[in-house]
Amino acid sequence: MRIAILGSAAMSVPPSHQGGTEWIAYYQAKGLAGLGHKITLVSFKGSLPGDYKLIEIGYTYEAKTSADIDEIESSRALRTENVRLAETMGKLAELISDYDLILNNMRGEAVFLPLAKFLGKPLVNVMHLPLFPELANIFKIYNTNIITISNNQRKKFPDLNYLSTVYNCVDTEKYVYNPRPKADYLLMMGTIGRHKNQGAAVRIAKKLGMKLILAGKIRDKEYFEELKKDIDGEQIQWFGELDFGKKVALYQNAKAFLFPIVWEEPFGLVMIEAMACGTPVVAFGNGAIPEVIVNGKTGFVIENNSEEEMAEAVRKIDTIKRQDSRNHVMENFTVEKMVKGYEAALAEIIT
């Protein structure tokens, strides 16, 4: 197959720091190229070359201060990303003879639908984010082929053109299993935001008298200000956005990974990263969580967003065998399994 993979209009593929979709796009490109397919990867500058044709987009203007943009024009980030989407559309038109289908990972997916129709190229959209009514409606208009990353994503819009569900992956050679963690802390990693609900993790850690490490970039500054009153640098610590080695070390040595999210989580890549290292996950059962965690075997799925029940689950976390968490990832969420899932799904479009 000849496939144009649209990676990211915001970050390099793979990302230098935090980023989930970008890693998936990288493994798509690398893995499908490794299976003998001709891949063109269109992504933000700084992306990693490989056995595929890499087309980079993006130009960064270095403002004197963040206030030059953020305080004067709140929509600048959106407009800048739109410029990069336009660059991507131009590359698709320019390279029309190099590919037979488009596999899109970029947010802003709707803008590609009229172009793909005009070019006469089938487009397959990977739903890394939740569906919403306006997007679902335009998918219906264009009869867009959709790959979901969990079955739960389909529930509110069951009548769209779903091609397949392909679960995300983790590189099990990089996320190395650790049977004997060196520390006794709880861990929550991910973007700081109210929907991620780091506050619940803080309250649970304090209730149990356990150390908690929070890590991740700040998306919601107001919410982070609320959290800061409990971040004392000792029992409750915040590490910010981490490099890869530090992130893996934290996963490997945590007693449990907490994930008290209060939104319809599309997948939750951090959960399989933790389990790959042997760390069991305790999560509120929203969105795709029951598809990722085996309740009582690789961690615990907490219903009704109950902090009390999450605390109780942490108390019995030693009943979970770390090897079971690792085995679950090896059986369901490897790079190889994901890539073969994409290959099988895309073959249905070409043949």
Side-chain angles (χ1 to χ4, degrees):
M1 292 184 284
R2 301 190 310 159
I3 308 164
I5 297 178
L6 309 186
S8 173
M11 289 190 283
S12 62
V13 170
S16 57
H17 288 88
Q18 187 174 325
T21 299
E22 292 76 19
W23 274 109
I24 299 305
Y26 171 68
Y27 289 129
Q28 289 169 354
K30 181 182 178 182
L32 289 168
L35 292 176
H37 303 290
K38 183 180 178 182
I39 304 299
T40 300
L41 173 63
V42 183
S43 195
F44 192 60
K45 66 178 184 178
S47 294
L48 187 65
D51 293 330
Y52 43 79
K53 184 176 184 178
L54 176 61
I55 306 296
E56 293 184 300
I57 59 168
Y59 166 79
T60 302
Y61 168 71
E62 296 294 337
K64 293 180 181 178
T65 68
S66 61
D68 291 347
I69 294 176
D70 298 338
E71 294 183 10
I72 297 172
E73 185 190 337
S74 61
S75 63
R76 179 61 63 87
L78 173 62
R79 295 176 66 205
T80 300
E81 192 159 340
N82 284 342
V83 170
R84 294 168 185 165
L85 293 175
E87 288 183 67
T88 303
M89 294 168 73
K91 296 298 183 183
L92 287 173
E94 179 184 327
L95 301 168
I96 187 171
S97 62
D98 289 358
Y99 62 91
D100 299 313
L101 68 85
I102 302 164
L103 179 64
N104 178 51
N105 298 282
M106 291 184 180
R107 60 191 182 191
E109 53 270 90
V111 303
F112 296 117
L113 306 185
L115 176 66
K117 182 178 180 180
F118 178 78
L119 296 176
K121 301 289 187 178
L123 182 144
V124 178
N125 192 74
V126 184
M127 286 309 308
H128 293 288
L129 294 169
L131 280 158
F132 53 92
E134 294 86 351
L135 181 59
N137 183 60
I138 201 166
F139 279 161
K140 284 184 181 180
I141 291 171
Y142 286 93
N143 195 32
T144 305
N145 297 291
I146 301 168
I147 290 179
T148 46
I149 58 173
S150 67
N151 292 321
N152 181 76
Q153 286 182 299
R154 306 182 181 198
K155 287 184 178 180
K156 292 183 179 179
F157 304 97
D159 55 346
L160 298 181
N161 183 23
Y162 295 110
L163 184 61
S164 181
T165 290
V166 180
Y167 290 132
N168 285 339
C169 71
V170 62
D171 188 336
T172 53
E173 293 183 2
K174 293 181 177 178
Y175 289 85
V176 178
Y177 173 61
N178 180 20
R180 290 176 293 277
K182 298 177 182 178
D184 195 33
Y185 58 85
L186 303 175
L187 176 65
M188 184 174 181
M189 199 172 297
T191 301
I192 303 294
R194 201 172 297 276
H195 64 302
K196 297 290 189 178
N197 198 23
Q198 281 89 356
V202 170
R203 289 187 292 272
I204 289 164
K206 294 181 79 171
K207 180 183 182 68
L208 296 173
M210 296 182 68
K211 179 179 176 180
L212 171 68
I213 294 176
L214 301 173
K217 62 184 177 182
I218 301 170
R219 175 180 296 172
D220 187 333
K221 294 180 181 178
E222 181 180 340
Y223 184 57
F224 183 67
E225 287 301 313
E226 295 176 21
L227 295 174
K228 278 175 65 175
K229 67 181 187 300
D230 289 310
I231 298 174
D232 57 11
E234 295 182 6
Q235 183 183 7
I236 311 298
Q237 300 182 20
W238 174 65
F239 284 11
E241 193 172 3
L242 303 171
D243 62 35
F244 186 80
K246 180 65 173 177
K247 180 172 74 169
V248 173
L250 284 175
Y251 278 135
Q252 290 174 324
N253 291 294
K255 189 174 185 65
F257 185 87
L258 302 187
F259 204 49
I261 48 98
V262 288
W263 74 311
E264 290 296 301
E265 176 67 56
F267 183 80
L269 193 61
V270 289
M271 294 189 293
I272 62 173
E273 290 175 347
M275 289 189 292
C277 296
T279 300
V281 179
V282 186
F284 286 170
N286 299 311
I289 273 66
E291 296 179 53
V292 179
I293 300 172
V294 180
N295 189 36
K297 186 169 185 178
T298 68
F300 296 100
V301 177
I302 309 301
E303 302 299 334
N304 303 316
N305 297 344
S306 171
E307 293 181 19
E308 181 61 38
E309 290 183 21
M310 179 169 275
E312 286 300 317
V314 173
R315 288 189 179 102
K316 57 181 180 180
I317 202 67
D318 288 337
T319 64
I320 303 296
K321 298 177 181 178
R322 293 179 67 89
Q323 185 66 58
D324 286 341
S325 294
R326 173 71 176 188
N327 291 346
H328 181 54
V329 171
M330 295 299 295
E331 292 166 6
N332 297 282
F333 305 115
T334 62
V335 173
E336 294 76 14
K337 187 176 182 66
M338 186 196 78
V339 170
K340 288 179 181 178
Y342 278 106
E343 182 184 46
L346 298 179
E348 295 183 28
I349 302 297
I350 295 297
T351 56

